[in-house]
């Protein structure tokens, strides 16, 4: 039986593995695999947790109060749930140094997408123009993935920018705030579509409304941000659990892959992995390896492997990430209303700005903040806390946030390389420089977003817009791009390295372009596509 | 006799929510202090501690000193204590519901109240800034103790 070793259990790894198993391959998955804590009070809604949990401060703020955000702290408009800390907990053996970039790596079972907000946004044909294969291949795989994970949404005004695909389930129920916004859009559509080229529609989310495949449908517990205890919101660990039941699949957690070794003909021969608990090194003989550890971690394994193989460690250029800008807003029509906690919490609507070059489309995720902790927001209001709280109580239902995403392109000035220490260990060097025209591009788009919000009856309070640092979106891609022609430090259309035959890069590392969209859905579709062509 | 931290939690909870803290909130408030999470980076100054001692005297003083700190010392010990307590109150019923329920004010009343809050805030900031000058001179405004 043909055998492939998959490195990493994130969105790309599990769907590559699933498609490989469906084609009769034997799969061994090596992973660090830090596990999520068990869901607490899985029946309870967000509001009920505050009544029923024996230690709500421990749950919401963390046992060491690490979820409490103090004035002046570097942070965003809501804190990251403490019990999701396992997703981004660092691993000493995978060290990095960065300039112009705040990298986030994950060593969790299920990878970075354990913190995914479910945004499932297919790329358009224009956006995959540089991808060296037919867009229809990806389009078909979107359907495959949608069937596996459950994607809800609608084909509406955003369809030119978010194409439809097979197995798109009906959208979830809208909360009142999103209904009000959508109704306002319908009233102002001609102005928004005409002058601003702004379009609003239902977002696409990897959320099941029905009970299926061991997952329970969304019942509006309002715990999306805190970790859906019903697994209605998809995470890769759900697929991993299914894979573990397959007789040809073996999962090996507690391992850090150090390098992949090749023979004199540059053909993959084995994988080496260290044990996290100090056990013996694991050496697996294989001719096929799928690197799916996420762009940064995969690149480090590739660089370490090339250094061990040829004695030289190259520089991988073209690192990309989506710049994100958070634009909070207040919807006047929702002031003084009671906040609706029992509803889906992430982006129910999306806002798109068309640009002359279709690849420069700007995508906004419209989130109506409800179950984020309130103390980070209240303390940012320029009043004493009690007055700020009074204002917040009357405005909470009216608050929203547009997370504006921008595309990125490969540039020589954005790179990954190795810094080799005296003891032979290595550190990943990350360097990122924004495009020279970025500020102008952001300013123009933000002007349009704020105009659109005004047309929807909202205002964006001055001084509250927050430009997130590069690296914060965790949409990393581009350092080993797919090319049709054989090129060093690139991958074939099947994701296979041109430097080491049998090494398949199945995560974002091979994307030649990054549209202004969360890439997770496309990562999964592309990984499935590569696995389907493993036999070619 | 009530210990200072308990008195402080009681006064600050009344200032923020209008009602006293539950035993659970008080226990968590104590635990957070024991864990050192409220200490400002670089440590609290003698002036910081003086401000907190004054704020403990009553909800009205807490509000005035909070307003002053919001403008001149946002990351100070007082602000950190108040934000911590707000975080604890918002995660536990019944304060959680009370802190997140609209006041029922009409649109006009809401606008009027906001104007009043703004005026009171500005007045508090100015008054406290003047009243604290002697203490600031005596204790030194900056630097860890």
């Amino acid at each position: 039986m043909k055998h492939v070793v998959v490195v990493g259990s994130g969105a790309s790894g599990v769907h590559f593995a699933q498609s490989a198993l469906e084609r009769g391959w034997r799969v061994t998955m090596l992973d660090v695999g830090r596990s999520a804590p068990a869901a607490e009070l899985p029946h309870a809604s967000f509001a009920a947790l505050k009544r029923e949990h024996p230690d709500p401060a421990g749950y919401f703020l963390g046992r060491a109060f690490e979820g409490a955000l103090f004035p002046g702290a570097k942070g965003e408009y809501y804190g990251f749930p403490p019990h999701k800390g396992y997703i981004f907990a660092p691993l000493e053996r995978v060290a990095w140094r960065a300039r112009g970039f705040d990298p986030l790596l994950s060593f969790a079972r299920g990878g970075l997408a354990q913190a995914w907000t479910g945004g499932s946004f297919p790329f358009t044909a224009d956006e995959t123009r540089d991808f060296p294969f037919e867009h229809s291949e990806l389009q078909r795989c979107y359907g495959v993935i949608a069937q596996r994970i459950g994607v809800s949404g609608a084909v509406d005004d955003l369809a030119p920018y978010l194409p439809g695909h097979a197995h798109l389930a009906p959208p979830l129920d809208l909360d009142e705030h999103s209904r009000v916004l959508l109704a306002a859009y319908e009233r102002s559509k001609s102005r928004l579509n005409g002058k601003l080229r702004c379009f609003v529609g239902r977002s696409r989310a990897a959320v099941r409304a029905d009970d299926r495949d061991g997952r329970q449908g969304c019942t509006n517990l309002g715990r999306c941000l805190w970790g859906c205890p019903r697994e209605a919101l998809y995470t890769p660990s759900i697929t991993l659990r299914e894979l573990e039941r397959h007789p040809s699949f073996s999962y090996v957690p507690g391992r850090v892959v150090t390098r992949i070794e090749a023979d004199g003909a540059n053909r993959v021969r084995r994988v080496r992995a260290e044990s996290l608990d100090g056990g013996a090194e694991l050496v697996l003989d294989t001719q096929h390896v799928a690197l799916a550890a996420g762009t940064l971690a995969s690149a480090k394994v590739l660089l370490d492997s090339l250094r061990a193989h040829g004695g030289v460690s190259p520089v991988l250029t073209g690192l990309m990430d989506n710049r994100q800008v958070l634009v909070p807003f207040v919807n006047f029509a929702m002031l003084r209303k009671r906040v609706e906690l029992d509803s889906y919490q992430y982006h129910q609507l999306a806002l798109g700005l068309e640009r002359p070059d279709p690849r420069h489309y700007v995508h906004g995720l419209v989130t109506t903040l409800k179950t984020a902790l309130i103390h980070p927001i209240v303390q940012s209001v320029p009043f004493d806390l009690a007055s700020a709280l009074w204002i917040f109580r009357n405005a909470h239902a009216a608050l929203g946030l547009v997370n504006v995403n921008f595309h990125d392109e490969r540039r020589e000035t954005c790179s990954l390389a190795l810094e080799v220490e005296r003891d032979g260990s290595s550190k990943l060097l990350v360097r990122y420089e924004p495009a020279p025209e970025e500020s102008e591009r952001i300013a123009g788009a933000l002007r349009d977003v704020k105009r659109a919000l005004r047309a929807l009856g909202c205002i964006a309070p001055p001084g509250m817009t927050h430009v997130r640092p590069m690296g914060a979106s965790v949409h990393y891609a581009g350092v080993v791009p797919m090319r049709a022609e054989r090129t060093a430090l690139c991958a074939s259309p099947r994701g296979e390295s041109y430097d080491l035959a049998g090494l398949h890069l199945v995560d974002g590392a091979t994307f030649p372009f990054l549209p202004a969209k969360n890439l997770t859905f496309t990562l999964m579709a592309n990984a499935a596509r590569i696995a389907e062509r493993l036999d070619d | 006799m009530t210990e200072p931290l308990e008195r402080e939690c009681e006064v600050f909870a009344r200032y923020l929510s209008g009602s006293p803290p539950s035993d659970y909130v008080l226990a968590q408030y104590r635990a957070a202090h024991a864990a050192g999470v409220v200490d400002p980076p670089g440590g609290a100054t003698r002036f910081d501690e003086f401000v907190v001692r004054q704020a403990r005297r009553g909800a009205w003083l807490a509000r005035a000193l909070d307003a002053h700190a919001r403008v001149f010392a946002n990351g100070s010990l007082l602000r950190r204590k108040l934000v911590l307590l707000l975080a604890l109150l918002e995660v536990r019923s019944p304060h959680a519901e009370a802190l997140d329920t609209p006041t029922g004010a009409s649109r006009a009343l809401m606008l009027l109240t906001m104007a009043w809050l703004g005026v009171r805030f500005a007045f508090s900031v100015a008054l406290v800034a003047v009243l604290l000058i002697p203490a600031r001179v005596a204790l030194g405004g900056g630097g860890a103790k």
Side-chain angles (χ1 to χ4, degrees), chain A residues 340-361:
Chain A
E340 193 179 343
L341 298 175
D342 295 340
S343 59
Y344 180 65
Q345 293 297 304
Y346 289 138
H347 41 95
Q348 301 188 18
L349 301 177
L351 175 154
L353 296 177
E354 191 180 274
R355 290 296 186 245
D357 181 340
R359 300 194 336 151
H360 296 175
Y361 164 77

PDB file of all heavy atoms in Angstrom, chain A residues 340-361:
ATOM      1  N   GLU A 340     -28.626  40.901  22.051  1.00  0.00           N
ATOM      2  CA  GLU A 340     -29.113  39.536  21.763  1.00  0.00           C
ATOM      3  C   GLU A 340     -27.941  38.564  21.906  1.00  0.00           C
ATOM      4  O   GLU A 340     -27.177  38.349  20.957  1.00  0.00           O
ATOM      5  CB  GLU A 340     -29.651  39.542  20.322  1.00  0.00           C
ATOM      6  CG  GLU A 340     -30.462  38.339  19.948  1.00  0.00           C
ATOM      7  CD  GLU A 340     -30.971  38.466  18.500  1.00  0.00           C
ATOM      8  OE1 GLU A 340     -30.970  39.577  17.939  1.00  0.00           O
ATOM      9  OE2 GLU A 340     -31.333  37.426  17.937  1.00  0.00           O
ATOM     10  N   LEU A 341     -27.795  37.984  23.097  1.00  0.00           N
ATOM     11  CA  LEU A 341     -26.635  37.124  23.350  1.00  0.00           C
ATOM     12  C   LEU A 341     -26.777  35.757  22.700  1.00  0.00           C
ATOM     13  O   LEU A 341     -25.792  35.151  22.280  1.00  0.00           O
ATOM     14  CB  LEU A 341     -26.432  36.958  24.859  1.00  0.00           C
ATOM     15  CG  LEU A 341     -26.131  38.237  25.653  1.00  0.00           C
ATOM     16  CD1 LEU A 341     -26.065  37.939  27.136  1.00  0.00           C
ATOM     17  CD2 LEU A 341     -24.831  38.867  25.182  1.00  0.00           C
ATOM     18  N   ASP A 342     -28.004  35.256  22.631  1.00  0.00           N
ATOM     19  CA  ASP A 342     -28.221  33.907  22.098  1.00  0.00           C
ATOM     20  C   ASP A 342     -28.321  33.957  20.577  1.00  0.00           C
ATOM     21  O   ASP A 342     -29.413  33.879  20.007  1.00  0.00           O
ATOM     22  CB  ASP A 342     -29.494  33.293  22.702  1.00  0.00           C
ATOM     23  CG  ASP A 342     -29.342  33.086  24.199  1.00  0.00           C
ATOM     24  OD1 ASP A 342     -28.192  33.057  24.675  1.00  0.00           O
ATOM     25  OD2 ASP A 342     -30.362  32.961  24.888  1.00  0.00           O
ATOM     26  N   SER A 343     -27.194  34.103  19.929  1.00  0.00           N
ATOM     27  CA  SER A 343     -27.159  34.154  18.460  1.00  0.00           C
ATOM     28  C   SER A 343     -25.761  33.788  17.998  1.00  0.00           C
ATOM     29  O   SER A 343     -24.817  33.735  18.804  1.00  0.00           O
ATOM     30  CB  SER A 343     -27.522  35.562  17.974  1.00  0.00           C
ATOM     31  OG  SER A 343     -26.607  36.495  18.508  1.00  0.00           O
ATOM     32  N   TYR A 344     -25.654  33.550  16.704  1.00  0.00           N
ATOM     33  CA  TYR A 344     -24.337  33.261  16.140  1.00  0.00           C
ATOM     34  C   TYR A 344     -23.475  34.514  16.283  1.00  0.00           C
ATOM     35  O   TYR A 344     -23.933  35.617  15.973  1.00  0.00           O
ATOM     36  CB  TYR A 344     -24.482  32.833  14.670  1.00  0.00           C
ATOM     37  CG  TYR A 344     -23.150  32.511  14.021  1.00  0.00           C
ATOM     38  CD1 TYR A 344     -22.391  31.436  14.473  1.00  0.00           C
ATOM     39  CD2 TYR A 344     -22.647  33.288  12.992  1.00  0.00           C
ATOM     40  CE1 TYR A 344     -21.171  31.147  13.919  1.00  0.00           C
ATOM     41  CE2 TYR A 344     -21.425  32.999  12.419  1.00  0.00           C
ATOM     42  CZ  TYR A 344     -20.686  31.933  12.893  1.00  0.00           C
ATOM     43  OH  TYR A 344     -19.465  31.654  12.336  1.00  0.00           O
ATOM     44  N   GLN A 345     -22.252  34.365  16.746  1.00  0.00           N
ATOM     45  CA  GLN A 345     -21.463  35.523  17.172  1.00  0.00           C
ATOM     46  C   GLN A 345     -20.498  36.086  16.125  1.00  0.00           C
ATOM     47  O   GLN A 345     -20.134  37.237  16.195  1.00  0.00           O
ATOM     48  CB  GLN A 345     -20.664  35.151  18.420  1.00  0.00           C
ATOM     49  CG  GLN A 345     -21.550  34.902  19.615  1.00  0.00           C
ATOM     50  CD  GLN A 345     -22.306  36.158  20.012  1.00  0.00           C
ATOM     51  OE1 GLN A 345     -21.713  37.193  20.271  1.00  0.00           O
ATOM     52  NE2 GLN A 345     -23.628  36.068  20.032  1.00  0.00           N
ATOM     53  N   TYR A 346     -20.051  35.269  15.222  1.00  0.00           N
ATOM     54  CA  TYR A 346     -19.073  35.785  14.273  1.00  0.00           C
ATOM     55  C   TYR A 346     -19.791  36.492  13.122  1.00  0.00           C
ATOM     56  O   TYR A 346     -21.006  36.661  13.136  1.00  0.00           O
ATOM     57  CB  TYR A 346     -18.165  34.664  13.777  1.00  0.00           C
ATOM     58  CG  TYR A 346     -17.192  34.170  14.828  1.00  0.00           C
ATOM     59  CD1 TYR A 346     -16.943  32.814  14.992  1.00  0.00           C
ATOM     60  CD2 TYR A 346     -16.513  35.057  15.661  1.00  0.00           C
ATOM     61  CE1 TYR A 346     -16.039  32.351  15.943  1.00  0.00           C
ATOM     62  CE2 TYR A 346     -15.612  34.606  16.613  1.00  0.00           C
ATOM     63  CZ  TYR A 346     -15.383  33.260  16.748  1.00  0.00           C
ATOM     64  OH  TYR A 346     -14.491  32.816  17.694  1.00  0.00           O
ATOM     65  N   HIS A 347     -19.028  36.829  12.098  1.00  0.00           N
ATOM     66  CA  HIS A 347     -19.531  37.603  10.968  1.00  0.00           C
ATOM     67  C   HIS A 347     -20.760  36.950  10.321  1.00  0.00           C
ATOM     68  O   HIS A 347     -20.669  35.875   9.758  1.00  0.00           O
ATOM     69  CB  HIS A 347     -18.427  37.769   9.927  1.00  0.00           C
ATOM     70  CG  HIS A 347     -17.619  36.518   9.729  1.00  0.00           C
ATOM     71  ND1 HIS A 347     -17.881  35.607   8.746  1.00  0.00           N
ATOM     72  CD2 HIS A 347     -16.575  35.990  10.423  1.00  0.00           C
ATOM     73  CE1 HIS A 347     -17.044  34.591   8.830  1.00  0.00           C
ATOM     74  NE2 HIS A 347     -16.234  34.805   9.841  1.00  0.00           N
ATOM     75  N   GLN A 348     -21.896  37.611  10.426  1.00  0.00           N
ATOM     76  CA  GLN A 348     -23.105  37.119   9.753  1.00  0.00           C
ATOM     77  C   GLN A 348     -23.253  37.769   8.394  1.00  0.00           C
ATOM     78  O   GLN A 348     -23.934  37.243   7.523  1.00  0.00           O
ATOM     79  CB  GLN A 348     -24.330  37.431  10.617  1.00  0.00           C
ATOM     80  CG  GLN A 348     -24.233  36.781  11.984  1.00  0.00           C
ATOM     81  CD  GLN A 348     -25.509  36.921  12.786  1.00  0.00           C
ATOM     82  OE1 GLN A 348     -26.570  37.208  12.260  1.00  0.00           O
ATOM     83  NE2 GLN A 348     -25.410  36.702  14.074  1.00  0.00           N
ATOM     84  N   LEU A 349     -22.633  38.942   8.264  1.00  0.00           N
ATOM     85  CA  LEU A 349     -22.679  39.666   6.991  1.00  0.00           C
ATOM     86  C   LEU A 349     -21.261  39.912   6.501  1.00  0.00           C
ATOM     87  O   LEU A 349     -20.312  39.901   7.290  1.00  0.00           O
ATOM     88  CB  LEU A 349     -23.391  41.009   7.156  1.00  0.00           C
ATOM     89  CG  LEU A 349     -24.829  40.981   7.661  1.00  0.00           C
ATOM     90  CD1 LEU A 349     -25.351  42.408   7.830  1.00  0.00           C
ATOM     91  CD2 LEU A 349     -25.729  40.205   6.700  1.00  0.00           C
ATOM     92  N   ALA A 350     -21.150  40.148   5.205  1.00  0.00           N
ATOM     93  CA  ALA A 350     -19.855  40.533   4.639  1.00  0.00           C
ATOM     94  C   ALA A 350     -20.070  41.754   3.770  1.00  0.00           C
ATOM     95  O   ALA A 350     -21.171  41.999   3.260  1.00  0.00           O
ATOM     96  CB  ALA A 350     -19.264  39.387   3.832  1.00  0.00           C
ATOM     97  N   LEU A 351     -19.001  42.534   3.648  1.00  0.00           N
ATOM     98  CA  LEU A 351     -19.065  43.762   2.873  1.00  0.00           C
ATOM     99  C   LEU A 351     -17.885  43.723   1.899  1.00  0.00           C
ATOM    100  O   LEU A 351     -16.754  43.472   2.304  1.00  0.00           O
ATOM    101  CB  LEU A 351     -18.946  44.938   3.844  1.00  0.00           C
ATOM    102  CG  LEU A 351     -18.853  46.375   3.364  1.00  0.00           C
ATOM    103  CD1 LEU A 351     -19.385  47.287   4.477  1.00  0.00           C
ATOM    104  CD2 LEU A 351     -17.437  46.790   3.050  1.00  0.00           C
ATOM    105  N   GLY A 352     -18.176  43.924   0.628  1.00  0.00           N
ATOM    106  CA  GLY A 352     -17.095  43.862  -0.365  1.00  0.00           C
ATOM    107  C   GLY A 352     -16.958  45.168  -1.109  1.00  0.00           C
ATOM    108  O   GLY A 352     -17.959  45.820  -1.445  1.00  0.00           O
ATOM    109  N   LEU A 353     -15.722  45.589  -1.336  1.00  0.00           N
ATOM    110  CA  LEU A 353     -15.459  46.778  -2.144  1.00  0.00           C
ATOM    111  C   LEU A 353     -14.800  46.333  -3.442  1.00  0.00           C
ATOM    112  O   LEU A 353     -13.709  45.749  -3.418  1.00  0.00           O
ATOM    113  CB  LEU A 353     -14.514  47.738  -1.416  1.00  0.00           C
ATOM    114  CG  LEU A 353     -14.992  48.373  -0.116  1.00  0.00           C
ATOM    115  CD1 LEU A 353     -13.873  49.226   0.481  1.00  0.00           C
ATOM    116  CD2 LEU A 353     -16.231  49.227  -0.350  1.00  0.00           C
ATOM    117  N   GLU A 354     -15.487  46.602  -4.532  1.00  0.00           N
ATOM    118  CA  GLU A 354     -14.917  46.256  -5.840  1.00  0.00           C
ATOM    119  C   GLU A 354     -13.819  47.266  -6.180  1.00  0.00           C
ATOM    120  O   GLU A 354     -13.938  48.443  -5.847  1.00  0.00           O
ATOM    121  CB  GLU A 354     -16.014  46.303  -6.899  1.00  0.00           C
ATOM    122  CG  GLU A 354     -15.623  45.731  -8.226  1.00  0.00           C
ATOM    123  CD  GLU A 354     -16.792  45.821  -9.207  1.00  0.00           C
ATOM    124  OE1 GLU A 354     -17.630  44.913  -9.202  1.00  0.00           O
ATOM    125  OE2 GLU A 354     -16.855  46.828  -9.927  1.00  0.00           O
ATOM    126  N   ARG A 355     -12.768  46.807  -6.812  1.00  0.00           N
ATOM    127  CA  ARG A 355     -11.672  47.681  -7.227  1.00  0.00           C
ATOM    128  C   ARG A 355     -11.427  47.497  -8.726  1.00  0.00           C
ATOM    129  O   ARG A 355     -11.823  46.466  -9.288  1.00  0.00           O
ATOM    130  CB  ARG A 355     -10.398  47.324  -6.435  1.00  0.00           C
ATOM    131  CG  ARG A 355     -10.486  47.710  -4.949  1.00  0.00           C
ATOM    132  CD  ARG A 355     -10.587  49.200  -4.854  1.00  0.00           C
ATOM    133  NE  ARG A 355     -10.558  49.786  -3.544  1.00  0.00           N
ATOM    134  CZ  ARG A 355     -11.575  50.437  -2.996  1.00  0.00           C
ATOM    135  NH1 ARG A 355     -12.749  50.487  -3.595  1.00  0.00           N
ATOM    136  NH2 ARG A 355     -11.458  51.051  -1.853  1.00  0.00           N
ATOM    137  N   PRO A 356     -10.805  48.501  -9.397  1.00  0.00           N
ATOM    138  CA  PRO A 356     -10.599  48.379 -10.850  1.00  0.00           C
ATOM    139  C   PRO A 356      -9.904  47.060 -11.231  1.00  0.00           C
ATOM    140  O   PRO A 356     -10.275  46.415 -12.205  1.00  0.00           O
ATOM    141  CB  PRO A 356      -9.720  49.588 -11.177  1.00  0.00           C
ATOM    142  CG  PRO A 356     -10.044  50.593 -10.115  1.00  0.00           C
ATOM    143  CD  PRO A 356     -10.355  49.805  -8.884  1.00  0.00           C
ATOM    144  N   ASP A 357      -8.898  46.661 -10.451  1.00  0.00           N
ATOM    145  CA  ASP A 357      -8.275  45.352 -10.669  1.00  0.00           C
ATOM    146  C   ASP A 357      -9.033  44.360  -9.790  1.00  0.00           C
ATOM    147  O   ASP A 357      -9.024  44.487  -8.558  1.00  0.00           O
ATOM    148  CB  ASP A 357      -6.797  45.408 -10.274  1.00  0.00           C
ATOM    149  CG  ASP A 357      -6.094  44.074 -10.502  1.00  0.00           C
ATOM    150  OD1 ASP A 357      -6.787  43.039 -10.585  1.00  0.00           O
ATOM    151  OD2 ASP A 357      -4.854  44.072 -10.598  1.00  0.00           O
ATOM    152  N   PRO A 358      -9.702  43.376 -10.379  1.00  0.00           N
ATOM    153  CA  PRO A 358     -10.531  42.471  -9.559  1.00  0.00           C
ATOM    154  C   PRO A 358      -9.738  41.718  -8.492  1.00  0.00           C
ATOM    155  O   PRO A 358     -10.309  41.266  -7.505  1.00  0.00           O
ATOM    156  CB  PRO A 358     -11.120  41.493 -10.592  1.00  0.00           C
ATOM    157  CG  PRO A 358     -10.341  41.681 -11.844  1.00  0.00           C
ATOM    158  CD  PRO A 358      -9.745  43.046 -11.802  1.00  0.00           C
ATOM    159  N   ARG A 359      -8.422  41.628  -8.668  1.00  0.00           N
ATOM    160  CA  ARG A 359      -7.613  40.935  -7.655  1.00  0.00           C
ATOM    161  C   ARG A 359      -7.412  41.809  -6.415  1.00  0.00           C
ATOM    162  O   ARG A 359      -6.932  41.337  -5.397  1.00  0.00           O
ATOM    163  CB  ARG A 359      -6.255  40.541  -8.231  1.00  0.00           C
ATOM    164  CG  ARG A 359      -6.425  39.619  -9.430  1.00  0.00           C
ATOM    165  CD  ARG A 359      -5.201  38.914  -9.891  1.00  0.00           C
ATOM    166  NE  ARG A 359      -3.934  39.500  -9.564  1.00  0.00           N
ATOM    167  CZ  ARG A 359      -2.834  38.785  -9.387  1.00  0.00           C
ATOM    168  NH1 ARG A 359      -2.885  37.468  -9.496  1.00  0.00           N
ATOM    169  NH2 ARG A 359      -1.691  39.368  -9.138  1.00  0.00           N
ATOM    170  N   HIS A 360      -7.748  43.063  -6.527  1.00  0.00           N
ATOM    171  CA  HIS A 360      -7.568  43.979  -5.395  1.00  0.00           C
ATOM    172  C   HIS A 360      -8.868  44.196  -4.613  1.00  0.00           C
ATOM    173  O   HIS A 360      -8.975  45.144  -3.829  1.00  0.00           O
ATOM    174  CB  HIS A 360      -7.014  45.319  -5.881  1.00  0.00           C
ATOM    175  CG  HIS A 360      -5.647  45.194  -6.478  1.00  0.00           C
ATOM    176  ND1 HIS A 360      -4.988  46.245  -7.065  1.00  0.00           N
ATOM    177  CD2 HIS A 360      -4.828  44.111  -6.599  1.00  0.00           C
ATOM    178  CE1 HIS A 360      -3.804  45.819  -7.516  1.00  0.00           C
ATOM    179  NE2 HIS A 360      -3.696  44.535  -7.242  1.00  0.00           N
ATOM    180  N   TYR A 361      -9.840  43.338  -4.839  1.00  0.00           N
ATOM    181  CA  TYR A 361     -11.095  43.359  -4.080  1.00  0.00           C
ATOM    182  C   TYR A 361     -10.795  43.454  -2.575  1.00  0.00           C
ATOM    183  O   TYR A 361      -9.883  42.791  -2.078  1.00  0.00           O
ATOM    184  CB  TYR A 361     -11.870  42.082  -4.402  1.00  0.00           C
ATOM    185  CG  TYR A 361     -12.982  41.730  -3.460  1.00  0.00           C
ATOM    186  CD1 TYR A 361     -14.198  42.395  -3.526  1.00  0.00           C
ATOM    187  CD2 TYR A 361     -12.827  40.710  -2.518  1.00  0.00           C
ATOM    188  CE1 TYR A 361     -15.232  42.056  -2.656  1.00  0.00           C
ATOM    189  CE2 TYR A 361     -13.848  40.368  -1.653  1.00  0.00           C
ATOM    190  CZ  TYR A 361     -15.048  41.045  -1.728  1.00  0.00           C
ATOM    191  OH  TYR A 361     -16.060  40.713  -0.869  1.00  0.00           O
TER     192      TYR A 361
END
